[in-house]
Amino acid sequence: MSRLGDLILLERTRQKMTRKQVARKCGVSESYIKEVEEGRRIIQDDQARRILKTLGTSQKNEAEFSLDEIAATVDLTTLAPQVPKPSPAQPAPQPAKHVSAEEQSGIWLDALSSVLCPVPVMNAGWIQVSRRMVPIQDGKIEGARPEKVVYFLAPDDSMRAMRIEKNDLVLIVPQGLPVDGAIMLVEYGAHRCLRRVRLLGDSKILLQSGDRELDAQAMSVSDVKFVGRAVRIEIAL
């Protein structure tokens, strides 16, 4: 996803609107909204503003959205439990004390923790180079516990044949066993890389890669560590 796509998905989910409803109000197709949310379509500023306005937001359309900008689209009253008004027999509540900017920031982060999660971006040396805010659905990201999910920064074009190029971000969910046909993050020897896995039998696999031409390497399952399965890609522009 892109930051704009994350924002649109977050607001649409929060307002319990379907893609079809948003598409109808914006005069576009449902598949168009889906591609924008998944970061697979670049849209013009006026179209982005129209979609955000339809969702009740007024954020600008930029390549990157800061945490504060995303927070500005979230209504805390819909995230925090409501406090009932006191009855006539109850004493009136005390005036609210002044909340510092630092405390306000903590409130935003606490509120956003139920809908967004910072996912680390790891390079091939397994060093965190940045992080991305990813929507949480039912307490999980792509069906996995949020703390177990990572982005892998593609180090080269060795997977270009599978539409993954250098500096693309690949979302990885934990998977300790080989999955036939899946693109997986694997470790073997001194390598940590993305490869498409093909099962050859109970103990043999084929690791496929390729820049322009497909290459394959037959290996024993016991010689490979399977870190996780690729479920999503964010391309670098």
Side-chain angles (χ1 to χ4, degrees), residues 2-8 43 45 48-49 52 57-73 116 131-133:
S2 64
R3 288 297 178 90
L4 176 59
D6 289 346
L7 177 60
I8 291 174
I43 62 176
D45 287 351
R49 294 192 188 96
L52 293 174
T57 67
S58 59
Q59 292 297 329
K60 60 188 178 182
N61 176 24
E62 298 289 349
E64 294 289 337
F65 286 83
S66 69
L67 182 60
D68 289 339
E69 287 176 318
I70 296 176
T73 71
L116 290 174
R131 66 178 187 174
R132 305 280 285 179
M133 300 302 294

Side-chain angles (χ1 to χ4, degrees), residues 22-221:
V22 175
R24 185 177 300 168
K25 289 188 176 183
C26 296
V28 297
S29 66
E30 183 179 355
S31 62
Y32 181 95
I33 297 297
K34 182 176 185 293
E35 290 176 357
V36 171
E37 288 184 349
E38 295 177 349
R40 295 188 291 110
R41 177 182 286 268
I42 301 174
I43 62 176
Q44 300 296 323
D45 287 351
D46 58 344
Q47 185 64 276
R49 294 192 188 96
R50 186 179 301 113
I51 295 174
L52 293 174
K53 185 177 181 180
T54 298
L55 293 171
T57 67
S58 59
Q59 292 297 329
K60 60 188 178 182
N61 176 24
E62 298 289 349
E64 294 289 337
F65 286 83
S66 69
L67 182 60
D68 289 339
E69 287 176 318
I70 296 176
T73 71
V74 180
D75 183 359
L76 281 179
T77 60
T78 67
L79 300 174
Q82 299 298 308
V83 179
K85 294 182 180 180
S87 65
Q90 294 177 320
Q94 296 297 317
K97 68 175 183 178
H98 173 72
V99 180
S100 68
E102 183 176 354
E103 290 174 320
Q104 289 177 351
S105 177
I107 293 173
W108 280 120
L109 290 174
D110 288 342
L112 287 170
S113 64
S114 63
V115 291
L116 290 174
C117 178
V119 173
V121 177
M122 312 298 290
N123 64 15
W126 216 239
I127 298 173
Q128 182 175 336
V129 294
S130 64
R131 66 178 187 174
R132 305 280 285 179
M133 300 302 294
V134 179
I136 299 176
Q137 295 184 348
D138 298 325
K140 295 183 177 181
I141 297 176
E142 297 290 345
R145 292 168 55 186
E147 67 272 16
K148 298 294 185 180
V149 176
V150 299
Y151 274 106
F152 183 69
L153 181 65
D156 51 38
D157 291 328
S158 63
M159 292 292 286
R160 181 181 289 177
M162 287 79 168
R163 300 182 181 180
I164 299 175
E165 300 185 6
K166 183 178 180 179
N167 293 329
D168 286 348
L169 295 179
V170 183
L171 188 64
I172 304 293
V173 298
Q175 175 65 49
L177 296 174
V179 178
D180 189 37
I183 294 177
M184 303 189 71
L185 180 60
V186 299
E187 296 178 4
Y188 60 94
H191 300 284
R192 181 182 290 110
C193 54
L194 295 166
R195 292 292 185 266
R196 176 180 285 165
V197 176
R198 292 295 185 185
L199 301 181
L200 300 179
D202 293 337
S203 59
K204 293 289 185 180
I205 58 171
L206 203 63
L207 298 182
Q208 296 180 322
S209 61
D211 185 344
R212 289 177 174 81
E213 296 182 359
L214 197 63
D215 188 19
Q217 183 177 7
M219 299 192 69
S220 172
V221 173

